[in-house]
Amino acid sequence: MSSTIKRTCVDCGSTGCRYMNGNFPDFCPGEQIENEALIDEIRKKCLEEENRKYLKAAAEVEYEGYCRLTRVEEIMEFAEKISARKLGIACCVGLISEARTLARVFRHRGFEVEGIGCKVGCIPKHKVGIPEECESLGRNTCNPIMQAELLNRAHTDLNVVVGLCVGHDSLFCKYSDAPVTTAVTKDRVLCHNPAAALYGADSYYKAKLFP
């Protein structure tokens, strides 16, 4: 490894912070926090009412459904624990079938659902400064800001991303008033299973990822 690379958590394999076994590398970011005031400040933020509610709900979902519940089931369990009754779905129109199924599952569980597709508003790409050649893949721009705005106006309690493009998901999260979680992450090459590239990074996908 190059000496110019600053090593952080992604360079560590001990996960001593997970098991509290004291096995921390010398570059551990957590161990290098010398400012106790910072640790206390973050702890206090964790204890703020809304943050504590989300942390508690997430921990309970993990504990109660560990290796038993699917991601979709976990989202519904989490929503119920934070008293979210209206769920927003921000979906790619290329995954509208998946989004329709998800809405059906949510509604069966008793949730109210609002779903907004990515092309809402039908704004041509060149009208928002996107190079016109990009319209060869579709005339209208994805519109994550409008998706967020419409779900904000619907007063959703929790928004769920289904297959938004890289970057569009970033803008959606930026403008969403409600907290956001993800049900499906788009990967056109790997049938929406992007982790497959990581599992094959040293074999099938080595040439692609380490050219």
Side-chain angles (χ1 to χ4, degrees):
M1 180 179 292
S2 171
S3 60
T4 61
I5 296 177
K6 179 183 177 182
R7 294 193 292 174
T8 54
C9 294
V10 293
D11 304 299
C12 170
S14 74
T15 60
C17 54
R18 179 181 183 184
Y19 298 106
M20 301 306 295
N21 60 13
N23 183 22
F24 301 104
D26 56 7
F27 60 82
C28 175
E31 289 294 285
Q32 292 182 20
I33 299 175
E34 297 178 355
N35 188 347
E36 290 294 329
L38 174 60
I39 295 176
D40 192 53
E41 176 187 347
I42 300 303
R43 184 186 65 82
K44 288 178 180 177
K45 287 184 178 180
C46 291
L47 289 171
E48 291 176 8
E49 183 177 0
E50 188 173 32
N51 296 338
R52 182 172 60 84
K53 179 173 70 172
Y54 294 154
L55 287 170
K56 179 175 179 289
E60 289 175 348
V61 169
E62 178 189 25
Y63 172 73
E64 294 167 4
Y66 194 75
C67 290
R68 183 177 61 85
L69 297 181
T70 64
R71 176 80 178 195
V72 170
E73 291 172 300
E74 287 184 334
I75 290 171
M76 293 189 291
E77 291 291 325
F78 177 75
E80 289 182 344
K81 288 179 181 295
I82 65 171
S83 300
R85 297 312 308 162
K86 180 181 280 192
L87 304 184
I89 297 177
C91 65
C92 168
V93 295
L95 282 83
I96 197 68
S97 177
E98 292 86 343
R100 284 165 58 86
T101 299
L102 184 63
R104 183 159 52 90
V105 171
F106 285 166
R107 286 170 176 153
H108 180 74
R109 185 74 169 254
F111 294 103
E112 184 179 352
V113 178
E114 295 265 351
I116 305 295
C118 63
K119 300 297 186 182
V120 64
C122 297
I123 301 175
K125 291 175 181 176
H126 69 271
K127 288 194 174 182
V128 292
I130 297 172
E132 198 160 355
E133 58 263 29
C134 293
E135 293 187 3
S136 64
L137 292 178
R139 175 177 179 270
N140 294 326
T141 182
C142 293
N143 202 344
I145 298 175
M146 180 67 84
Q147 286 179 289
E149 178 62 25
L150 293 179
L151 291 178
N152 291 343
R153 293 186 181 198
H155 303 292
T156 52
D157 301 312
L158 176 69
N159 289 332
V160 182
V161 169
V162 175
L164 296 186
C165 295
V166 171
H168 297 151
D169 53 1
S170 303
L171 281 173
F172 177 78
C173 292
K174 179 179 179 179
Y175 286 95
S176 173
D177 288 343
V180 179
T181 191
T182 301
V184 180
T185 303
K186 177 185 288 180
D187 190 319
R188 298 178 182 91
V189 174
L190 297 174
C191 297
H192 313 309
N193 179 25
L198 304 180
Y199 300 140
D202 293 316
S203 54
Y204 300 113
Y205 293 98
K206 186 172 184 178
K208 182 185 285 288
L209 298 178
F210 298 102

mmCIF file of all heavy atoms in Angstrom, residues 17 20 22-36 39:
data_model
loop_
_atom_site.group_PDB
_atom_site.id
_atom_site.type_symbol
_atom_site.label_atom_id
_atom_site.label_comp_id
_atom_site.label_asym_id
_atom_site.label_seq_id
_atom_site.Cartn_x
_atom_site.Cartn_y
_atom_site.Cartn_z
ATOM 1 N N CYS A 17 -13.832 -2.635 17.147
ATOM 2 C CA CYS A 17 -14.883 -1.742 17.628
ATOM 3 C C CYS A 17 -16.225 -2.442 17.693
ATOM 4 O O CYS A 17 -17.112 -2.052 18.453
ATOM 5 C CB CYS A 17 -14.977 -0.516 16.722
ATOM 6 S SG CYS A 17 -15.203 -0.911 14.974
ATOM 7 N N MET A 20 -15.409 -5.155 20.722
ATOM 8 C CA MET A 20 -14.790 -4.580 21.913
ATOM 9 C C MET A 20 -13.717 -5.497 22.503
ATOM 10 O O MET A 20 -13.634 -5.719 23.704
ATOM 11 C CB MET A 20 -15.861 -4.280 22.972
ATOM 12 C CG MET A 20 -16.936 -3.310 22.493
ATOM 13 S SD MET A 20 -16.267 -1.748 21.841
ATOM 14 C CE MET A 20 -15.524 -1.057 23.305
ATOM 15 N N GLY A 22 -10.510 -4.929 22.014
ATOM 16 C CA GLY A 22 -9.294 -4.155 22.217
ATOM 17 C C GLY A 22 -8.268 -4.308 21.122
ATOM 18 O O GLY A 22 -7.161 -3.787 21.226
ATOM 19 N N ASN A 23 -8.623 -5.019 20.051
ATOM 20 C CA ASN A 23 -7.682 -5.247 18.964
ATOM 21 C C ASN A 23 -7.838 -4.149 17.911
ATOM 22 O O ASN A 23 -8.515 -4.332 16.903
ATOM 23 C CB ASN A 23 -7.928 -6.628 18.350
ATOM 24 C CG ASN A 23 -6.927 -6.956 17.264
ATOM 25 O OD1 ASN A 23 -5.827 -6.382 17.217
ATOM 26 N ND2 ASN A 23 -7.289 -7.871 16.383
ATOM 27 N N PHE A 24 -7.210 -3.005 18.175
ATOM 28 C CA PHE A 24 -7.326 -1.874 17.272
ATOM 29 C C PHE A 24 -5.980 -1.605 16.599
ATOM 30 O O PHE A 24 -4.940 -1.607 17.271
ATOM 31 C CB PHE A 24 -7.748 -0.616 18.034
ATOM 32 C CG PHE A 24 -9.060 -0.753 18.758
ATOM 33 C CD1 PHE A 24 -9.097 -0.921 20.136
ATOM 34 C CD2 PHE A 24 -10.258 -0.716 18.067
ATOM 35 C CE1 PHE A 24 -10.298 -1.043 20.799
ATOM 36 C CE2 PHE A 24 -11.467 -0.839 18.725
ATOM 37 C CZ PHE A 24 -11.490 -1.006 20.099
ATOM 38 N N PRO A 25 -5.962 -1.363 15.293
ATOM 39 C CA PRO A 25 -4.705 -1.009 14.623
ATOM 40 C C PRO A 25 -4.254 0.378 15.056
ATOM 41 O O PRO A 25 -5.038 1.176 15.568
ATOM 42 C CB PRO A 25 -5.078 -1.038 13.143
ATOM 43 C CG PRO A 25 -6.542 -0.749 13.117
ATOM 44 C CD PRO A 25 -7.105 -1.381 14.352
ATOM 45 N N ASP A 26 -2.980 0.673 14.808
ATOM 46 C CA ASP A 26 -2.449 1.958 15.271
ATOM 47 C C ASP A 26 -3.052 3.146 14.530
ATOM 48 O O ASP A 26 -2.970 4.279 15.006
ATOM 49 C CB ASP A 26 -0.916 1.984 15.164
ATOM 50 C CG ASP A 26 -0.421 1.694 13.748
ATOM 51 O OD1 ASP A 26 -1.257 1.601 12.816
ATOM 52 O OD2 ASP A 26 0.806 1.568 13.569
ATOM 53 N N PHE A 27 -3.673 2.897 13.366
ATOM 54 C CA PHE A 27 -4.264 3.998 12.607
ATOM 55 C C PHE A 27 -5.758 4.162 12.872
ATOM 56 O O PHE A 27 -6.429 4.952 12.211
ATOM 57 C CB PHE A 27 -4.030 3.804 11.103
ATOM 58 C CG PHE A 27 -4.624 2.543 10.534
ATOM 59 C CD1 PHE A 27 -5.966 2.484 10.185
ATOM 60 C CD2 PHE A 27 -3.833 1.418 10.346
ATOM 61 C CE1 PHE A 27 -6.520 1.324 9.653
ATOM 62 C CE2 PHE A 27 -4.382 0.253 9.817
ATOM 63 C CZ PHE A 27 -5.729 0.206 9.469
ATOM 64 N N CYS A 28 -6.315 3.423 13.811
ATOM 65 C CA CYS A 28 -7.753 3.428 14.068
ATOM 66 C C CYS A 28 -8.270 4.852 14.314
ATOM 67 O O CYS A 28 -7.831 5.527 15.245
ATOM 68 C CB CYS A 28 -8.073 2.566 15.284
ATOM 69 S SG CYS A 28 -9.812 2.633 15.773
ATOM 70 N N PRO A 29 -9.203 5.338 13.463
ATOM 71 C CA PRO A 29 -9.736 6.693 13.648
ATOM 72 C C PRO A 29 -10.409 6.887 15.001
ATOM 73 O O PRO A 29 -10.300 7.955 15.610
ATOM 74 C CB PRO A 29 -10.754 6.839 12.510
ATOM 75 C CG PRO A 29 -10.295 5.877 11.463
ATOM 76 C CD PRO A 29 -9.738 4.715 12.233
ATOM 77 N N GLY A 30 -11.083 5.838 15.476
ATOM 78 C CA GLY A 30 -11.757 5.948 16.767
ATOM 79 C C GLY A 30 -10.791 6.097 17.918
ATOM 80 O O GLY A 30 -10.996 6.894 18.839
ATOM 81 N N GLU A 31 -9.708 5.329 17.856
ATOM 82 C CA GLU A 31 -8.712 5.380 18.926
ATOM 83 C C GLU A 31 -7.922 6.686 18.901
ATOM 84 O O GLU A 31 -7.330 7.078 19.900
ATOM 85 C CB GLU A 31 -7.750 4.193 18.814
ATOM 86 C CG GLU A 31 -8.377 2.856 19.169
ATOM 87 C CD GLU A 31 -8.763 2.790 20.635
ATOM 88 O OE1 GLU A 31 -7.867 2.635 21.487
ATOM 89 O OE2 GLU A 31 -9.969 2.910 20.933
ATOM 90 N N GLN A 32 -7.918 7.352 17.740
ATOM 91 C CA GLN A 32 -7.161 8.598 17.617
ATOM 92 C C GLN A 32 -7.992 9.836 17.967
ATOM 93 O O GLN A 32 -7.508 10.957 17.887
ATOM 94 C CB GLN A 32 -6.600 8.719 16.204
ATOM 95 C CG GLN A 32 -5.522 7.677 15.909
ATOM 96 C CD GLN A 32 -4.928 7.823 14.525
ATOM 97 O OE1 GLN A 32 -5.015 8.875 13.907
ATOM 98 N NE2 GLN A 32 -4.321 6.750 14.023
ATOM 99 N N ILE A 33 -9.232 9.619 18.356
ATOM 100 C CA ILE A 33 -10.035 10.757 18.815
ATOM 101 C C ILE A 33 -9.578 11.116 20.220
ATOM 102 O O ILE A 33 -9.879 10.427 21.194
ATOM 103 C CB ILE A 33 -11.540 10.411 18.824
ATOM 104 C CG1 ILE A 33 -12.022 10.052 17.421
ATOM 105 C CG2 ILE A 33 -12.349 11.595 19.373
ATOM 106 C CD1 ILE A 33 -13.462 9.581 17.358
ATOM 107 N N GLU A 34 -8.818 12.175 20.306
ATOM 108 C CA GLU A 34 -8.267 12.583 21.598
ATOM 109 C C GLU A 34 -9.177 13.558 22.325
ATOM 110 O O GLU A 34 -9.033 13.773 23.531
ATOM 111 C CB GLU A 34 -6.881 13.220 21.390
ATOM 112 C CG GLU A 34 -5.864 12.242 20.799
ATOM 113 C CD GLU A 34 -4.518 12.901 20.562
ATOM 114 O OE1 GLU A 34 -4.422 14.125 20.766
ATOM 115 O OE2 GLU A 34 -3.567 12.182 20.179
ATOM 116 N N ASN A 35 -10.103 14.136 21.587
ATOM 117 C CA ASN A 35 -10.993 15.130 22.164
ATOM 118 C C ASN A 35 -12.204 14.434 22.778
ATOM 119 O O ASN A 35 -13.153 14.068 22.079
ATOM 120 C CB ASN A 35 -11.423 16.127 21.086
ATOM 121 C CG ASN A 35 -12.190 17.297 21.646
ATOM 122 O OD1 ASN A 35 -12.618 17.279 22.802
ATOM 123 N ND2 ASN A 35 -12.376 18.322 20.829
ATOM 124 N N GLU A 36 -12.188 14.238 24.074
ATOM 125 C CA GLU A 36 -13.307 13.594 24.757
ATOM 126 C C GLU A 36 -14.586 14.411 24.615
ATOM 127 O O GLU A 36 -15.683 13.865 24.639
ATOM 128 C CB GLU A 36 -12.971 13.395 26.237
ATOM 129 C CG GLU A 36 -11.912 12.341 26.505
ATOM 130 C CD GLU A 36 -12.379 10.937 26.130
ATOM 131 O OE1 GLU A 36 -13.599 10.672 26.243
ATOM 132 O OE2 GLU A 36 -11.546 10.126 25.709
ATOM 133 N N ILE A 39 -16.494 13.210 21.568
ATOM 134 C CA ILE A 39 -17.213 11.962 21.826
ATOM 135 C C ILE A 39 -18.483 12.244 22.624
ATOM 136 O O ILE A 39 -19.556 11.715 22.322
ATOM 137 C CB ILE A 39 -16.307 10.976 22.585
ATOM 138 C CG1 ILE A 39 -15.117 10.572 21.705
ATOM 139 C CG2 ILE A 39 -17.103 9.739 23.018
ATOM 140 C CD1 ILE A 39 -14.123 9.675 22.387
#
